[in-house]
Amino acid sequence: MQSIIFFDIDGTLVTEDARAIIPQSTREAIELTRKKGNLTFINSGRTAFNISSRVKELGFDGYICGCGTYIEFGGNVIFSRTIPQDECRRIAELMRKCNVTPVYEHSEGYFFDDKAPVTEGLRYFMDVFVSTGIDVSGRVEDADFGFDKFVIWKNPDSDMELFRKEVSKDYSIIDRGGGFYENVPLGFSKATGIEMILEKLGISMDHAYAIGDSMNDLPMLEAVPNSIAMGGAENIYPYVSYVTTPIEEDGIKNALLHFNLI
């Protein structure tokens, strides 16, 4: 019976540091499971344009991006949901009132707000984006401003009470730690993306596997019966059915071996 495996990116396929290592054993394991007839999918909070060629070259049958707001299979976009522009502009004004630092994520690019305080987190993001050739020219004032989801950093003077009160009406607020929050439209998650793909492909949930390393992976890890935490991701151990070795200790390969997927 064909199985389907959903992979997070950062900390799962690629080391979550400046080295951005993809272990050779990970490359080999993905190739072997596909040769066995299994399907492989990216399931990431990243929006579609921000899936690097290095990751794509590993070999995937499809992509769930932006926490379920964009889904691609076999090279075709089968679902895409961008927030209406009037709502995007409302949120941008609200973020200014809250005095937080946002990055607005669209399937085709990023948008920034020059009126927002500059945080260390934003500086790091911008440095990474520039070093990897990602366009950072998009601004809230642009005519084509829009987003599928957004992230924010809080600042010492941020009104987080107003932020939580207003944003939670229409978005799931995911606390990523360190004053960094990911905000996804209600009704969308890494889990809803899995459900849509399984229904489209006629694959039983029993044959679905998910591998992740952080709290924002919980929706997909809790959605499938075969959930895997990368070694070292202790905060999600209670929520998974198997803990593999760390990423640089053949974590992906060992996980797929454990479930007889290679």
Side-chain angles (χ1 to χ4, degrees), residues 73-212:
F73 173 62
N76 298 311
V77 178
I78 63 173
F79 179 80
S80 181
R81 196 266 190 179
T82 294
I83 296 166
Q85 193 175 68
D86 58 347
E87 166 66 2
C88 292
R89 297 207 176 277
R90 183 189 75 82
I91 288 292
E93 287 303 315
L94 176 62
M95 294 306 98
R96 287 175 175 175
K97 289 180 182 177
C98 294
N99 195 38
V100 297
T101 301
V103 175
Y104 300 102
E105 302 174 273
H106 189 277
S107 60
E108 297 179 1
Y110 283 145
F111 292 90
F112 304 87
D113 189 348
D114 291 333
K115 293 184 179 181
V118 177
T119 66
E120 288 302 315
L122 178 63
R123 288 192 185 96
Y124 176 76
F125 264 44
M126 295 289 276
D127 288 345
V128 170
F129 295 159
V130 170
S131 68
T132 55
I134 292 175
D135 183 7
V136 296
S137 64
R139 293 295 184 271
V140 168
E141 290 77 16
D142 295 351
D144 62 345
F145 169 62
F147 59 85
D148 305 341
K149 59 187 282 284
F150 67 103
V151 298
I152 65 106
W153 290 267
K154 71 176 181 180
N155 304 288
D157 298 325
S158 295
D159 188 342
M160 294 305 292
E161 181 178 353
L162 177 62
F163 171 81
R164 291 188 178 91
K165 176 184 175 183
E166 294 300 322
V167 172
S168 63
K169 294 176 181 177
D170 300 296
Y171 300 84
S172 297
I173 301 172
I174 305 169
D175 186 349
R176 299 292 301 275
F180 182 60
Y181 298 84
E182 187 172 22
N183 308 282
V184 182
L186 290 176
F188 294 89
S189 70
K190 291 185 176 185
T192 62
I194 288 177
E195 291 164 3
M196 189 176 295
I197 284 294
L198 294 183
E199 181 177 357
K200 179 176 178 61
L201 301 183
I203 296 176
S204 166
M205 184 66 80
D206 291 340
H207 294 278
Y209 299 78
I211 310 177

